[in-house]
Amino acid sequence: MPRSFPLLPAALLSAMACGALAQAAAAGEGAPEGARVWVADDGTRVRREDVGLPLSRGEGNALFRPGEPIRLGALRAEVVAFQVVVEAGADPVRGVTVELSPLGPAAGPKAPPAPQQPTQAAGAPPAQAISIGRFVEHYVEITRRSRNEQRPLESLGWSPAARPPDDAHLGFLPDALIPVELAPPWAPYPLEVGARETRAVWIDLHVPEGAVPGAHEGRVVVRSASHGELASLDLRLDVAPATLPYRAVDFLGFYDVDEVAARIGDGPAVEQQLWQLLHEHHVDGFASVRSPAEVERLRAAIDGSLFTEARGYRGPGAGVPPSAVALGAYGGFGDPGETALRRVEAVADLLPPAVDDVMLYAVDEQCESPRGPGWRRLIRGSRLSSRVLVGHSCGEVRPVEQDVDLVLTPANRFDSTWAQAAREAGQRLWVYNGALPRTGTFMIDAPLTGLMADGWIAASHQVDRWFLWETAFWHDGNRGGRGPVDPFTVAENFHNRDGDACLGDGMLLYPGTQRGAFSSRSAGFPGVFPSMRLKSLRRGIQDAGYIALARSASPGAVDAIVKEVIPAALDEALDSAAAAWSSDGAPFFRARSALRALIPPDASLDAAGVRRALAEAAAARRALVPLPGARGEADGAGQANPWALDRWSATARLLAVAGLGAAVLALAIGLYRWRKPGRGAGER
């Protein structure tokens, strides 16, 4: 951020005094010299070396001002989050704890009376209580960015023009979130803050559906073993009476059960915890089943019973099953044939009817493969014709030219014209993964707001479902991969034969236990931990619920807010430009507050109502945001050129401008000479 320097000594002294006052307000009286405690929103990533940021003084900070309460808003059935950042000066700060008192209704005459609640079992928290989750933010050092070895400014996560800057993404970046109760010695809690460094605790506030509307208050107290109390910050959470819909937009996260078992252990409890953690974040695990035994192993997840209190789940979407199940992901059933069909039928017969989509995943990223069309003909002639969709992934060919029921296309190649034609032909179209500037990227070395933006994009564009190719990719097992990595120490986890290297790709989860070569970085927990990127994706999905609720009452105002936050995405964006949305969390925070103010009291929507509201939002979006093709900046299909062609088109444009300029200059010189006195026709 730009800095301004005072020109007069008096101004310098004034600025120093103001800084000292702000520091004193943020930190307790016992804080060491130069120490500061401040609060960041959930769209901001603070590196270990990020000391003295303007955010720490409240400048540009959406929810923190020194000396003022932390102010948050929420709907019922929502999770809101913030970060408490501890910044050390010249001296380290040892043994730092961050405590948040239980939140209760605000005192005073305006506080609403608490309704009568059913009698609770002894020791059980009240059904309306706001629960608190605290996580240690673990840092990984970034020394090289995601890239292609031949084209370093380009990566699978962005076009060259949209590459996030190095000055914000090199160094020690936080991503893994480890519950404070499980923090290991190598990511300790209480925190150890080195001199002129930061450490942070991430806090989730789970607002249950039965929460009492109105203001809730608590206090964040930060103490250290070395310097006593560092800060005491009031927190105010305003709970609106409306209820957030669960999973307003569909994101499906794949995982390789064998790789998870190899790293953590093969107990069924590990896989169940993985499913519950994704479900808590409004993301479906992508069940891939190839045998009756696999259906039985995943039955509780597929029928939704895994997400109930009886199975230890306490979170949003109780009892809601996943939206889709794959029959043999990535081509697991092989070539079509009668024998293979009998195997598919045996599996499909066991699937519960509650699942919306059952997809036979014929083949992956091989548009010319005969598998998809072959399976489609076979399924259409079987008793599964009304139950099973045959699909494959392909981004190079128009969906209507692909002989399958469902096409998965890379999100950064999504074409709304193609999608509309596919829908009119009775086909389904999903998107997967994504890259800047058309969507957010899953790479670690990019702003958190990209994944937040994906929820807004899904809400305002008809992308149906969004597939994440992996969530636990710790093994670098792609063709051209380099083998397993310890994700707590190595961010570069993906390589392929095309020279791509990616940081954090396909890795929204971290292993709670590591066996074998990486056992020294094990927390001893039989399950997985979330990442800050998964939390950011959850925030965007919840924002989609805000959009649906608010749009049912104020469509025009909501459409304007969405356009302001996401000026261009998918095929509205050009790869020759940077991402159109902010890399800071504050604009998203403010827009969310504006949407919340538009939501009617006691509003709620069922799944059908959400789909209807967001379909209307997508239709209205097209009138508000024209496609580049309308300005003559796209190819004949209405889709902006892919990166290689986009680089050439930019070069061509430069050459054309240069040529035109040379022609104009030559013409001007010629005219000058022609008009110059004494020049005859023979000299022109």
Side-chain angles (χ1 to χ4, degrees), residues 182 184-186 488 511-515 518-525 529:
L182 302 172
W186 44 269
F488 293 109
T513 292
Q514 297 204 86
R515 305 191 302 178
F518 308 122
S519 57
S520 63
R521 280 292 187 271
S522 176
F525 173 68
F529 296 141

Side-chain angles (χ1 to χ4, degrees), residues 250 252 323-324 355-359 376 387-392 394 398-400 402 404-409 414 418-431 462-466 611:
D250 291 316
L252 312 169
S323 60
V355 178
D356 290 338
D357 288 336
V358 178
M359 167 198 178
R376 191 187 198 193
R387 173 68 164 153
V388 174
L389 300 168
V390 174
H392 67 193
C394 170
R398 288 166 57 94
V400 292
Q402 302 179 45
V404 291
D405 304 308
L406 188 155
V407 176
L408 288 85
T409 189
F414 176 85
W418 290 7
Q420 181 63 29
R423 284 190 293 271
E424 291 173 354
Q427 281 181 306
R428 299 284 298 280
L429 186 67
W430 298 358
V431 299
Q462 289 186 286
V463 299
D464 203 351
R465 307 196 195 285
W466 203 313
R611 286 193 297 269

Side-chain angles (χ1 to χ4, degrees), residues 129-439:
I130 296 169
S131 60
I132 301 167
R134 293 173 300 151
F135 303 84
V136 173
E137 297 185 6
H138 177 68
Y139 302 80
V140 62
E141 186 176 15
I142 308 298
T143 58
R144 295 187 72 191
R145 303 289 305 283
S146 298
R147 63 197 177 276
N148 180 278
E149 296 296 351
Q150 288 73 46
R151 301 179 298 277
L153 296 182
E154 176 184 306
S155 84
L156 293 179
W158 49 74
S159 69
R163 183 178 187 266
D166 284 349
D167 60 4
H169 298 96
L170 290 173
F172 285 88
L173 269 65
D175 191 58
L177 296 176
I178 304 172
V180 297
E181 301 84 1
L182 302 172
W186 44 269
Y189 184 83
L191 307 175
E192 298 293 318
V193 188
R196 296 186 175 87
E197 291 183 347
T198 68
R199 294 293 189 278
V201 168
W202 181 286
I203 297 181
D204 274 350
L205 300 178
H206 294 246
V207 182
E209 191 169 342
V212 178
H216 296 251
E217 294 180 341
R219 178 164 293 184
V220 177
V221 179
V222 183
R223 298 184 177 91
S224 73
S226 57
H227 296 85
E229 184 173 300
L230 300 177
S232 180
L233 307 173
D234 290 330
L235 182 145
R236 180 186 175 97
L237 174 66
D238 291 310
V239 177
T243 301
L244 184 76
Y246 178 72
R247 199 179 61 200
V249 289
D250 291 316
F251 282 78
L252 312 169
F254 180 79
Y255 66 97
D256 188 319
V257 64
D258 294 329
E259 293 294 344
V260 170
R263 182 64 61 96
I264 301 176
D266 56 3
V270 172
E271 188 175 22
Q272 292 176 7
Q273 186 269 344
L274 183 153
W275 271 85
Q276 289 181 336
L277 182 67
L278 289 177
H279 193 83
E280 177 187 329
H281 290 79
H282 294 248
V283 176
D284 286 336
F286 193 51
S288 172
V289 290
R290 294 166 295 176
S291 68
E294 290 184 343
V295 176
E296 291 307 315
R297 190 188 83 232
L298 291 171
R299 179 166 296 281
I302 295 172
D303 66 18
S305 61
L306 182 62
F307 315 117
T308 60
E309 193 166 354
R311 301 297 293 266
Y313 178 78
R314 296 177 181 85
V320 178
S323 60
V325 170
L327 300 173
Y330 298 115
F333 275 102
D335 293 328
E338 290 299 325
T339 301
L341 178 62
R342 300 287 87 80
R343 292 169 49 218
V344 170
E345 289 175 336
V347 174
D349 287 344
L350 296 175
L351 296 176
V355 178
D356 290 338
D357 288 336
V358 178
M359 167 198 178
L360 194 151
Y361 201 149
V363 70
D364 184 55
E365 295 186 342
Q366 297 179 43
C367 298
E368 73 287 351
S369 172
R371 277 192 184 179
W375 271 112
R376 191 187 198 193
R377 288 191 297 271
L378 199 60
I379 292 295
R380 280 186 168 182
S382 76
R383 58 186 175 82
L384 299 179
S385 59
S386 63
R387 173 68 164 153
V388 174
L389 300 168
V390 174
H392 67 193
S393 57
C394 170
E396 290 78 27
V397 181
R398 288 166 57 94
V400 292
E401 298 172 6
Q402 302 179 45
D403 188 13
V404 291
D405 304 308
L406 188 155
V407 176
L408 288 85
T409 189
N412 54 302
R413 292 186 179 180
F414 176 85
D415 185 293
S416 56
T417 304
W418 290 7
Q420 181 63 29
R423 284 190 293 271
E424 291 173 354
Q427 281 181 306
R428 299 284 298 280
L429 186 67
W430 298 358
V431 299
Y432 67 95
N433 299 349
L436 299 166
R438 302 187 178 214
T439 73

Side-chain angles (χ1 to χ4, degrees), residues 39-46 61-63 72-73 78-84 137 177 201-205 447-452 531-540 542-543 583-586 588-590 592 596:
V39 176
D41 62 65
D42 54 358
T44 298
R45 182 184 269 126
V46 181
N61 195 319
L63 68 154
L72 295 164
E78 181 181 356
V79 180
V80 293
F82 62 99
Q83 304 169 72
V84 178
E137 297 185 6
L177 296 176
V201 168
W202 181 286
I203 297 181
D204 274 350
L205 300 178
L448 284 176
T449 54
L451 289 172
M452 198 177 292
S531 62
M532 293 174 70
R533 289 169 295 139
L534 179 61
K535 301 285 186 185
S536 187
L537 178 60
R538 175 190 64 190
R539 182 62 268 170
Q542 292 186 140
D543 290 348
S583 60
D584 297 326
F588 287 86
F589 185 95
R590 289 191 291 267
R592 191 176 309 122
R596 190 184 308 113

